[in-house]
Amino acid sequence: MTRNNAVILFFIAFVISLFVFCRPTKQINASKDSPYLNHNDTVAYLGSEACRGCHLDKFETFSHTGMGESFGVATPQKSKSIIDEFTLIFDSINNFYYKPYWQNDSLMLFEFRLENGDTIYKRTEHIKYIIGSGHHTNSHIYEKNGYLYQAPVTFYTQDEIWDFAPGFSDGYNNRFSRFIGRECMTCHNSFCEQPKGAENKFDWVADGIGCERCHGPGEVHVKLKTSGEVIDTSKYVDYSIVNPSKLDRVAQMNVCQRCHVQGIAVLNEGKTHYDFKPGQQLDTFVNIFIPRYEGANTKFIMASQADRLMQSACYKNSEMTCISCHNPHISTRVTAIETFNAKCMNCHGTNQDDNCSLSLEARNEKDNNCSGCHMPESPSIDIPHVTVTDHLIRIQPSAKEIAKEETFSYLDNVLANDTDPAIMALGYLSFYDKFTPEPALLDSVNYYLKQQSKIPAKKKEALVWYNFIIQNFEAINKATNNNSFITKDPWTNYRIGEALKSINENKGAEQYLKSAVDLEPYNLDFQNKYGALLMKVNKVNEAKETFNFILKENDHHISALTNQGFVYVSIGEISKGEQLYDKALQLNPDYIPAILNKVGVAFVKKDKAKAKNGLNKILKINPNHQQAKQLLKELNRL
């Protein structure tokens, strides 16, 4: 290209940029609670490419940080995994093998089962995305029509091994059914686009955490800068965009805490995981609970760096924040350890003889590495095969102290000192339901439910959830007999509906399950439960339509395939029903409801051998299945 042509092209690009950014726009005003223009709800997110032109240096280095590489399409370039002919993961409890492999540039996961050396079951899925930068892990996401699910295997880069994804081992293998939903994505990625009422369906998925996660939406900033506005940021704050370094200490820490205090999140009334913008008060949107343990305080969740830091004497006795030591635009992998040690010396002085209790010889053995000694690499309690820097800066406990068992003490809301009892109850319920089903946690729930709450809607949610867990369905029925019991929370409606269905209060159950579906129409499990109830009350055509919707959205929904099969069998289309049962079992050969329904068809056809074979298969999967035992007895009497 000639120089003249290059100039012409540059001029054309410049004119186009004026057309895009300098056209007349509506006036953007700061919100009533904030001076920042981009806190206004009308300001759009543009994506990091909009920042690149003016901030190329930061854009280039940030793209190689853990945040910048947090999410992406699964390609050989993105993947940090090592795959060879010996790569194989075996689930000895559920008897499934997993073999990842590359098919050209596509990452595939082959699930299979062997019997006497023969493959008796197989399923292959395309891995669409990799979640995780590869600093510690690459986890994998399977996608169906925009619905995202975590695949069962992860590559752990520090140990260079494949193993089950966190939470999938020891009999908890969810295979291809664990949601990757709003809460997961809003920390592991930039904000994505979802249809209204979706949990794990996405219309558009970003490619890694971007600039706007820490600076807020960029539309107004870009428009003002390209229209010629200039602000001397060495003297003044540019309120068109958030610069975290200009925030007060609490607000600055809130930016990091949004994702680096991982725990049990309980949203405030009317808030979503998308609402918080940097510079706002995080505790007005969400409560984050961290489990505390008695003992040496060595147990911590991997992404809890901000919480660990805030427990440190260094933090408590200074004005330090995360960015006192970290440049968020530069990866820690390319930051020299001397840079971090120099930060220590800024406060503790350069004469280590006055500041370190170790002998000179011992210090030399550790390369005079302050941060390595006081912030060691430690395992986390939630991610196997991973060590991370423990940001609790301290003299390390002795081996004797560490050897003592650490026992759970309480849940701590790290964002607020004064927490409403209903929010506390929801924190304990979530911890029980999602992580640790210990009965003592329910005692704490019961305690907080007896306290006076200022948030009636949240107390209703907690009461329903608590009684749902302990299966006190009559208590839920009694509470909802009054028409004043109205909730906008889809999960509360779902739990009420399922509770009422369990005690055959089908009219009420239908009302509440329909409400759950109306609030979250793309939650296919809600739809499936609603369809099952419609079948129960003999609304066959409506049930059929519901299951059709589910299978149009995701034709791998195993329970919906089975339920739709039952619909067809019930209206006499037995062959079509059996085809759906078989498709469900092709996806999960151990899915007992589908096997049981096939047994029912065998009974109708008077095929005793087929029925017996199916019942024995169920009892092999679950030797305590009472219905299968009873049916087998009846079959043997025939």
Side-chain angles (χ1 to χ4, degrees):
M1 182 185 293
T2 67
R3 186 175 184 277
N4 286 339
N5 286 340
V7 170
I8 291 169
L9 285 175
F10 174 80
F11 178 76
I12 291 171
F14 178 73
V15 171
I16 291 172
S17 72
L18 289 178
F19 177 76
V20 171
F21 292 115
C22 298
R23 62 187 185 275
T25 59
K26 61 181 179 291
Q27 178 69 35
I28 300 293
N29 297 312
S31 66
K32 63 179 181 179
D33 300 320
S34 170
Y36 284 98
L37 298 178
N38 69 341
H39 284 178
N40 191 297
D41 289 339
T42 64
V43 180
Y45 290 90
L46 300 180
S48 296
E49 285 294 329
C51 311
R52 185 174 193 163
C54 296
H55 304 283
L56 181 61
D57 56 336
K58 293 179 175 62
F59 178 92
E60 293 291 346
T61 57
F62 178 79
S63 65
H64 297 292
T65 64
M67 289 184 287
E69 296 180 343
S70 63
F71 196 96
V73 174
T75 63
Q77 294 73 34
K78 168 64 179 170
S79 177
K80 301 297 192 296
S81 65
I82 299 170
I83 301 175
D84 58 31
E85 66 271 26
F86 302 109
T87 302
L88 195 66
I89 306 97
F90 179 50
D91 180 351
S92 61
I93 296 175
N94 296 296
N95 192 22
F96 288 114
Y97 289 89
Y98 295 93
K99 173 68 179 175
Y101 65 94
W102 291 101
Q103 184 174 292
N104 299 321
D105 285 343
S106 296
L107 182 57
M108 313 299 291
L109 185 61
F110 179 40
E111 178 188 65
F112 63 99
R113 176 175 287 171
L114 297 176
E115 188 174 286
N116 299 323
D118 293 326
T119 302
I120 61 169
Y121 157 80
K122 57 184 178 180
R123 174 180 177 179
T124 303
E125 297 295 353
H126 172 223
I127 300 302
K128 182 69 176 289
Y129 300 108
I130 288 173
I131 191 166
S133 66
H135 291 199
H136 302 100
T137 67
N138 275 172
S139 282
H140 302 91
I141 293 178
Y142 147 75
E143 182 258 352
K144 281 291 290 185
N145 191 31
Y147 290 87
L148 301 186
Y149 303 90
Q150 185 169 5
V153 295
T154 287
F155 184 74
Y156 296 91
T157 53
Q158 289 173 316
D159 287 348
E160 295 188 343
I161 62 169
W162 284 90
D163 202 348
F164 289 100
F168 277 73
S169 58
D170 301 323
Y172 295 100
N173 184 359
N174 290 314
R175 301 174 62 244
F176 299 94
S177 63
R178 179 184 286 178
F179 283 11
I180 295 293
R182 293 183 293 261
E183 184 176 353
C184 299
M185 287 291 276
T186 53
C187 269
H188 286 286
N189 205 354
S190 283
F191 292 155
C192 306
E193 294 176 5
Q194 293 188 273
K196 186 178 181 181
E199 169 60 30
N200 69 316
K201 182 175 184 176
F202 295 85
D203 291 330
W204 172 82
V205 176
D207 190 15
I209 292 168
C211 308
E212 291 167 302
R213 290 307 310 276
C214 297
H215 295 281
E219 180 189 31
V220 65
H221 179 71
V222 170
K223 286 180 177 177
L224 289 173
K225 300 311 148 190
T226 53
S227 66
E229 181 193 79
V230 176
I231 292 176
D232 184 352
T233 54
S234 67
K235 297 179 181 178
Y236 308 103
V237 174
D238 180 357
Y239 286 107
S240 69
I241 198 79
V242 175
N243 181 344
S245 69
K246 303 294 185 182
L247 297 173
D248 66 52
R249 190 190 194 200
V250 172
Q252 194 180 114
M253 288 299 294
N254 280 174
V255 176
C256 304
Q257 286 172 310
R258 172 62 182 85
C259 294
H260 288 277
V261 179
Q262 187 185 47
I264 297 93
V266 178
L267 291 166
N268 287 328
E269 184 67 14
K271 302 300 182 183
T272 77
H273 290 289
Y274 293 102
D275 291 341
F276 171 75
K277 296 182 178 73
Q280 296 176 327
Q281 287 183 265
L282 186 57
D283 65 352
T284 62
F285 297 89
V286 68
N287 306 271
I288 303 176
F289 294 94
I290 294 285
R292 300 298 187 203
Y293 298 88
E294 293 180 355
N297 195 11
T298 60
K299 288 187 174 183
F300 62 93
I301 295 169
M302 179 176 173
S304 60
Q305 293 92 336
D307 173 60
R308 296 293 282 182
L309 173 65
M310 293 172 72
Q311 297 178 53
S312 307
C314 288
Y315 181 88
K316 293 175 181 177
N317 297 322
S318 74
E319 289 299 310
M320 75 179 296
T321 66
C322 299
I323 61 176
S324 297
C325 300
H326 285 280
N327 182 339
H329 299 116
I330 298 177
S331 172
T332 56
R333 290 180 296 182
V334 298
T335 303
I337 196 65
E338 290 79 15
T339 302
F340 294 112
N341 288 336
K343 303 290 185 179
C344 302
M345 293 300 99
N346 285 342
C347 292
H348 294 282
T350 56
N351 188 348
Q352 288 187 328
D353 292 332
D354 296 334
N355 290 291
C356 186
S357 60
L358 290 181
S359 66
L360 179 61
E361 182 181 7
R363 291 204 304 272
N364 287 334
E365 285 180 6
K366 296 178 179 293
D367 297 323
N368 284 305
N369 183 359
C370 308
S371 58
C373 189
H374 295 284
M375 302 171 64
E377 289 286 310
S378 305
S380 67
I381 62 174
D382 57 330
I383 311 292
H385 309 299
V386 161
T387 59
V388 293
T389 299
D390 184 1
H391 281 66
L392 174 52
I393 309 166
R394 59 174 174 172
I395 296 174
Q396 294 305 302
S398 67
K400 185 177 180 181
E401 290 175 299
I402 293 173
K404 294 178 182 177
E405 183 179 359
E406 294 184 48
T407 57
F408 172 77
S409 181
Y410 66 98
L411 285 182
D412 182 18
N413 185 349
V414 298
L415 298 179
N417 294 321
D418 185 18
T419 308
D420 187 272
I423 298 294
M424 289 298 308
L426 287 167
Y428 276 94
L429 284 163
S430 186
F431 191 48
Y432 175 93
D433 212 19
K434 299 175 184 178
F435 298 99
T436 309
E438 294 291 338
L441 296 173
L442 296 182
D443 294 338
S444 296
V445 174
N446 194 30
Y447 167 79
Y448 285 112
L449 286 175
K450 291 176 181 177
Q451 310 302 311
Q452 190 69 31
S453 171
K454 296 179 181 178
I455 317 172
K458 289 295 182 182
K459 185 159 188 177
K460 287 178 181 178
E461 288 180 34
L463 279 166
V464 168
W465 196 352
Y466 172 70
N467 283 298
F468 187 77
I469 287 174
I470 66 173
Q471 297 188 15
N472 189 353
F473 301 142
E474 286 294 349
I476 294 175
N477 184 31
K478 185 177 178 180
T480 56
N481 270 335
N482 186 336
N483 288 333
S484 66
F485 198 99
I486 300 171
T487 173
K488 294 182 180 179
D489 178 61
W491 276 97
T492 301
N493 283 306
Y494 161 77
R495 292 182 183 112
I496 294 171
E498 284 294 286
L500 296 180
K501 184 174 75 173
S502 297
I503 56 175
N504 293 315
E505 292 288 343
N506 294 327
K507 184 177 180 180
E510 185 176 347
Q511 172 193 340
Y512 281 101
L513 286 174
K514 179 66 164 58
S515 294
V517 165
D518 287 343
L519 289 163
E520 281 198 359
Y522 294 99
N523 186 319
L524 301 186
D525 288 348
F526 287 175
Q527 290 275 9
N528 189 52
K529 293 292 187 179
Y530 178 55
L533 178 66
L534 291 172
M535 274 300 297
K536 185 179 180 182
V537 298
N538 206 31
K539 294 185 177 181
V540 179
N541 288 332
E542 290 180 45
K544 185 178 177 182
E545 289 177 8
T546 300
F547 297 132
N548 277 339
F549 171 80
I550 297 170
L551 295 174
K552 183 179 178 182
E553 289 292 304
N554 179 3
D555 63 4
H556 278 26
H557 196 288
I558 296 170
S559 182
L561 285 166
T562 304
N563 285 335
Q564 187 71 303
F566 183 77
V567 170
Y568 280 113
V569 169
S570 70
I571 60 177
E573 298 187 43
I574 294 176
S575 177
K576 190 174 284 189
E578 284 191 292
Q579 288 174 13
L580 290 167
Y581 296 153
D582 288 339
K583 185 172 181 180
L585 291 170
Q586 286 169 10
L587 295 167
N588 182 0
D590 298 336
Y591 190 59
I592 288 176
I595 302 170
L596 200 56
N597 284 4
K598 289 197 70 173
V599 168
V601 171
F603 266 97
V604 170
K605 292 181 175 181
K606 298 183 180 179
D607 189 337
K608 184 176 178 180
K610 200 168 187 179
K612 189 172 184 179
N613 182 57
L615 292 170
N616 283 328
K617 185 175 181 180
I618 292 171
L619 290 172
K620 184 178 179 181
I621 297 166
N622 179 7
N624 297 315
H625 196 282
Q626 294 304 312
Q627 188 178 4
K629 285 183 176 181
Q630 185 60 38
L631 287 172
L632 194 58
K633 283 183 181 179
E634 292 179 15
L635 192 63
N636 288 330
R637 292 194 196 106
L638 297 177

